[in-house]
Amino acid sequence: MSTRQPTQLPLQELHGTLERVVFQNEENGYTIARLRTTGREPEVTVVGNLMGVNVGERLAMEGFWVNHPQYGRQFEVHSFKVEYPATLEGIRKYLGSGLIRGIGPVTAARIVDHFGKETLEVIDSEPGRLMEIPGIGEKKVNLIASAWQEQRLVKEIMVFLQSNGVSTGLAVRIYRQYGDESIRIVRNDPYRLARDVYGIGFKTADKIARQIGIPLDHPSRIQAGILYALNRFAEDGHCFAAQDPLLEASAELLEMAVQNCAAQLEVLKAQADVIAEDTAIYLPPFFHAETGVANRLKRILRAENDRLSAFRRLDWEALLAILDRQTAIHLTELQKKAVRMALTEKVSILTGGPGTGKSTITSSIIKLLRMQSGSVLLCAPTGRAAKRLTETTGLEAKTIHRLLEYKPTAQSTFARDRENPLNADLIIVDETSMIDILLMNHLLDAVELGSHLLLVGDIDQLPSVGPGNVLRDLIASQVLPVTRLDTIFRQSENSYIVVNAHRINNGEMPMFPKDAADFFLFAEEDAQKAADWVIELAARRITAKFGFEPMNDIQVLSPMHRGSTGVSELNERLQAELNPPAPGKAEIRHGHRVFRAGDRVMQTVNNYDLQVFNGDLGFIKNIDLEDQTISIQYDSRTVIYDYTQLDEVAHAFAISIHKSQGSEFPAVIIPLLNQHYMMLQRNLLYTGITRARKLVVLVGSKRAIAIAVHNNHIASRNTRLAERLKVG
């Protein structure tokens, strides 16, 4: 590994023990650290790529002494080797640095006090002797021995990869993916990393490949580049890419001619790594999911078996009259039609905005069904959406993953499928706009052919984070019966959340009357001042006026990630205001972020092993510095994370509007400024304000709001679901 070389003089040597890390960039390994030496300067500053080093390690470095104009004399590292610490204090710091799971500072001190300078040799070759220390049992010894072996192997991987900018965290992920085969696999097929290891993309894998001598025109490189480009289309919500744009994107990524890519695309087709349907190029999971959804829906619609066939023979006027007498809210003719549709049609769709009666209709359907002794299952894509469905219906609603009984160790992803379908006369799915094509395929696979399926959702919200545009495609196909609700029923006096949501959806500016009790605008054109307002509102002002609790009730939603009013900077500032450091409050640094007990966080990818999913919100309950785990509370369950899994977690004092789908909060604060121009769309603003139950505060400019309201361009997604449903 190397840094800038200021002179052609011979490299100088420096030996010492790493005292503390002042700063480290997890992406490129650039580190500023303090080194304890035996020379005339007891402690010196060293800078450079020190990827993988740990406090307490003894380092043999080569580099140059330089004078920094601001920070003074420091040693610029050109290369280094790690040596085990030789002094008792060095060993104590080394073991207590968090390097080895199961050993924190206190345990490290006890071990070193007992074994002295033999400590590392004992852990390495006779770990069983650790049971000589009171309080360390067999389970703890096994944990320490396993962690010691793992860190040694990870260190070997780091030595192999240290010049390629791979972080320590990624090295651990590589080891856990491939074990003892790690170095062999990385050396023989580095592009596997991009496919197999979360957090490593094509560019990192390509950098490693070039370092070990794989030529730019090697077939495996070109194929990996094409698959990466196709995955990028999927990340943008597309089920497929048209061939010509895919080849152009691949050629740009690989910096080579389109014809080179075209030749390797044919190889990928022949190997079934991609599926071509005329000019549409699919990754296999999305092709099979899209065709699977279309085919399964057709089978359900055509099946003669109907578990609710009795409802077609009932006297509906009498039935609805009974319902009217039993409920305080009387249904409109359109709402009655929606109730009848769900109980007489095998598959139906109910769509509408906030306050239009979707919950009322759902509850009415369940009442009539239970009057006839029918069975129902309720589900939604996220835990929060499922919880809200439970509250509105009084029946248990589950996440779709829980309903389908995901089994991490099972050969099949879900225990519920067409061989073991869900047992219910009617399945009601809420927040369907959030469901991507893969999840919808799994859900339909588990629907028995005789069951009824009601899909409820708001077509005007943002589409799913994952590929596909399922709800919109199902409606566009005109194959399924649809009830569209557009009349507002739920509206309190001086309440403008629902009114303004519908105004925005109709292309009209929201109103900010003086008598509004739940919808406000803090006008501010300057981005930095707007950010200051967001912090002030979230931390103090809303609590003082309305009594909302900042950590639980108030959610900041931003259109973008970057900038002073973006998710990243707002999270840093809100963490400092709402959950500052304090004595006894555990925290750890992971890359450039500090995770602290009490932080609000969000899961950012699906983790089927832990059964937490993209968009799940929780709080850090505990940080175990010794076992190197973090406990995060998600509603009623606690999930234990290993430190290496923290790439999957982000702070959630502020989140993007996209990530807020399916969630609902008592109060939301939304900054909207001209600098957000690229993201200002009607469905984005509409989705943001409909996340609020009781209070919306917009911070920014009326011009930015107007841009969003009048921009009804909905980015199209490459899907063929509607076409597939129409055929036959």
Side-chain angles (χ1 to χ4, degrees):
M1 72 194 83
S2 63
T3 61
R4 177 180 56 85
Q5 186 170 328
T7 175
Q8 297 303 313
L9 293 174
L11 293 167
Q12 297 167 286
E13 290 187 2
L14 180 66
H15 296 260
T17 301
L18 194 68
E19 189 71 12
R20 66 182 182 277
V21 175
V22 178
F23 168 83
Q24 185 168 72
N25 185 321
E26 280 284 314
E27 297 299 318
N28 59 26
Y30 179 78
T31 304
I32 303 171
R34 296 289 286 173
L35 194 79
R36 181 168 293 281
T37 73
T38 55
R40 55 190 177 88
E41 296 178 73
E43 197 171 289
V44 299
T45 299
V46 295
V47 299
N49 188 335
L50 294 171
M51 188 77 80
V53 297
N54 294 280
V55 171
E57 287 179 329
R58 184 166 176 78
L59 304 178
M61 304 178 175
E62 289 188 328
F64 302 95
W65 286 102
V66 296
N67 281 306
H68 191 281
Q70 185 175 352
Y71 301 110
R73 192 165 184 261
Q74 52 189 218
F75 192 80
E76 249 186 33
V77 181
H78 182 268
S79 65
F80 71 89
K81 290 182 181 179
V82 178
E83 303 170 339
Y84 284 138
T87 66
L88 290 179
E89 183 58 27
I91 296 170
R92 193 175 286 113
K93 280 200 167 189
Y94 179 66
L95 284 185
S97 67
L99 172 72
I100 301 166
R101 187 184 307 164
I103 301 180
V106 174
T107 303
R110 290 168 59 208
I111 293 173
V112 175
D113 288 346
H114 187 83
F115 292 111
K117 292 188 177 181
E118 295 180 6
T119 295
L120 299 182
E121 187 178 335
V122 168
I123 295 174
D124 191 42
S125 57
E126 298 179 277
R129 288 187 60 195
L130 292 171
M131 284 193 286
E132 296 173 15
I133 301 169
I136 296 184
E138 185 177 355
K139 184 177 178 181
K140 187 88 162 178
V141 167
N142 291 336
L143 175 65
I144 292 170
S146 173
W148 176 262
Q149 179 67 11
E150 180 178 300
Q151 68 87 23
R152 285 183 61 181
L153 290 167
V154 169
K155 189 71 73 177
E156 289 179 21
I157 297 170
M158 281 307 308
V159 169
F160 177 66
L161 297 175
Q162 61 187 344
S163 61
N164 299 294
V166 177
S167 71
T168 306
L170 291 182
V172 172
R173 285 180 180 272
I174 292 170
Y175 168 72
R176 293 195 173 164
Q177 179 72 33
Y178 304 125
D180 295 346
E181 293 288 291
S182 297
I183 291 176
R184 183 189 65 79
I185 288 171
V186 172
R187 183 179 283 119
N188 293 338
D189 186 8
Y191 295 106
R192 274 188 65 178
L193 300 178
R195 299 194 299 271
D196 298 346
V197 183
Y198 172 74
I200 295 184
F202 172 80
K203 292 180 180 178
T204 301
D206 195 37
K207 188 176 180 183
I208 296 168
R210 292 168 76 168
Q211 189 75 20
I212 62 180
I214 293 179
L216 294 176
D217 60 354
H218 195 280
S220 66
R221 177 177 184 267
I222 301 173
Q223 291 172 26
I226 294 170
L227 291 173
Y228 176 77
L230 190 51
N231 267 297
R232 291 292 296 273
F233 277 91
E235 288 170 9
D236 289 337
H238 302 293
C239 289
F240 67 86
Q243 182 161 306
D244 286 347
L246 173 62
L247 289 174
E248 289 166 9
S250 303
E252 183 178 350
L253 173 72
L254 295 163
E255 298 179 351
M256 60 175 47
V258 168
Q259 53 264 37
N260 292 37
C261 298
Q264 291 306 318
L265 178 58
E266 294 305 313
V267 175
L268 289 171
K269 292 178 187 177
Q271 295 172 173
D273 290 320
V274 301
I275 294 175
E277 187 179 61
D278 51 72
T279 59
I281 311 298
Y282 286 82
L283 289 166
F286 303 125
F287 177 82
H288 295 307
E290 194 175 83
T291 54
V293 167
N295 293 337
R296 189 66 177 174
L297 278 171
K298 289 177 185 178
R299 287 196 66 192
I300 294 170
L301 293 171
R302 292 171 183 162
E304 292 183 9
N305 182 25
D306 185 344
R307 294 176 61 149
L308 296 179
S309 59
F311 276 95
R312 294 183 182 175
R313 300 187 294 271
L314 294 177
D315 182 342
W316 273 91
E317 282 193 23
L319 203 61
L320 291 168
I322 294 171
L323 188 65
D324 265 349
R325 288 196 296 273
Q326 290 186 352
T327 56
I329 300 173
H330 298 298
L331 301 181
T332 67
E333 289 305 311
L334 183 61
Q335 290 176 324
K336 290 176 181 177
K337 178 187 170 188
V339 172
R340 184 170 183 171
M341 179 183 71
L343 294 169
T344 57
E345 298 284 352
K346 293 289 287 297
V347 184
S348 56
I349 295 173
L350 176 63
T351 185
T356 56
K358 296 193 298 296
S359 297
T360 301
I361 292 169
T362 302
S363 296
S364 298
I365 290 167
I366 293 170
K367 279 185 182 177
L368 286 182
L369 181 67
R370 300 185 86 180
M371 282 168 54
Q372 299 295 318
S373 301
S375 58
V376 63
L377 289 173
L378 308 177
C379 65
T382 67
R384 284 179 172 247
K387 185 178 179 183
R388 199 164 67 248
L389 186 56
T390 297
E391 291 167 355
T392 58
T393 63
L395 297 178
E396 183 190 16
K398 298 180 178 179
T399 64
I400 295 173
H401 287 87
R402 276 190 63 214
L403 183 72
L404 300 183
E405 298 175 28
Y406 175 76
K407 305 290 184 186
T409 57
Q411 198 169 17
S412 176
T413 310
F414 296 97
R416 294 289 184 174
D417 55 21
R418 66 185 62 190
E419 303 300 323
N420 182 30
L422 298 165
N423 183 20
D425 297 325
L426 172 64
I427 299 167
I428 299 176
V429 186
D430 201 11
E431 295 286 0
T432 307
S433 63
M434 293 182 63
I435 302 177
D436 63 28
I437 194 69
L438 295 176
L439 187 55
M440 181 57 80
N441 187 41
H442 286 300
L443 175 61
L444 290 175
D445 230 19
V447 175
E448 190 184 276
L449 294 180
S451 297
H452 281 221
L453 179 67
L454 173 63
L455 302 173
V456 183
D458 186 346
I459 193 177
D460 296 311
Q461 286 190 29
L462 291 166
S464 59
V465 174
N469 208 345
V470 175
L471 182 60
R472 188 173 288 274
D473 285 348
L474 294 179
I475 293 173
S477 73
Q478 299 184 332
V479 170
L480 305 175
V482 179
T483 300
R484 291 176 181 266
L485 305 172
D486 53 17
T487 303
I488 302 172
F489 295 99
R490 190 186 78 225
Q491 183 184 349
S492 305
E493 189 177 353
N494 298 332
S495 171
Y496 282 87
I497 294 177
V498 173
V499 170
N500 280 335
H502 287 269
R503 287 182 64 86
I504 290 165
N505 208 24
N506 293 327
E508 301 172 284
M509 283 289 286
M511 298 185 293
F512 304 98
K514 290 182 179 179
D515 66 340
D518 62 357
F519 206 99
F520 302 92
L521 170 66
F522 279 72
E524 180 56 68
E525 299 283 344
D526 181 79
Q528 190 58 54
K529 290 179 181 177
D532 294 342
W533 267 120
V534 169
I535 304 304
E536 173 66 19
L537 286 160
R540 285 171 288 276
R541 190 169 288 223
I542 288 177
T543 299
K545 184 172 177 61
F546 297 98
F548 292 125
E549 206 282 307
M551 289 289 281
N552 292 302
D553 299 335
I554 303 169
Q555 182 63 60
V556 175
L557 304 177
S558 177
M560 298 188 76
H561 283 273
R562 296 180 180 177
S564 54
T565 56
V567 169
S568 298
E569 287 195 32
L570 288 176
N571 264 318
E572 285 188 24
R573 295 187 62 184
L574 286 166
Q575 183 193 37
E577 285 281 347
L578 300 176
N579 191 33
K585 187 186 289 187
E587 64 177 49
I588 62 156
R589 178 172 289 278
H590 184 75
H592 63 282
R593 296 177 296 171
V594 173
F595 287 101
R596 188 173 295 136
D599 280 351
R600 183 157 63 190
V601 292
M602 171 182 275
Q603 177 74 14
T604 59
V605 296
N606 290 337
N607 186 319
Y608 294 100
D609 293 330
L610 296 178
Q611 294 211 42
V612 284
F613 305 101
N614 191 354
D616 285 354
L617 288 164
F619 289 89
I620 295 179
K621 188 177 178 181
N622 181 54
I623 299 176
D624 192 319
L625 301 174
E626 190 156 295
D627 287 344
Q628 298 181 13
T629 59
I630 291 188
S631 304
I632 299 179
Q633 185 77 32
Y634 292 103
D635 292 325
S636 59
R637 61 189 290 257
T638 300
V639 178
I640 309 297
Y641 288 77
D642 183 84
Y643 279 5
T644 61
Q645 295 171 307
L646 287 179
D647 288 344
E648 300 179 3
V649 177
H651 286 103
F653 299 98
I655 62 176
S656 70
I657 295 175
H658 280 85
K659 288 285 190 183
S660 72
Q661 292 179 78
S663 295
E664 196 175 67
F665 312 95
V668 300
I669 304 168
I670 306 174
L672 279 175
L673 293 148
N674 295 335
Q675 66 176 208
H676 298 145
Y677 183 82
M678 294 296 291
M679 297 298 294
L680 296 178
Q681 295 173 201
R682 185 183 300 175
N683 61 351
L684 183 99
L685 178 56
Y686 174 79
T687 299
I689 68 170
T690 54
R691 299 309 89 207
R693 279 202 306 272
K694 299 179 180 178
L695 178 67
V696 171
V697 181
L698 303 181
V699 178
S701 73
K702 283 191 175 181
R703 182 169 180 269
I705 295 169
I707 291 170
V709 167
H710 296 118
N711 179 11
N712 197 31
H713 172 71
I714 298 173
S716 62
R717 292 186 167 191
N718 295 339
T719 76
R720 289 184 170 179
L721 178 58
E723 298 167 34
R724 294 184 197 283
L725 284 167
K726 290 175 184 176
V727 175

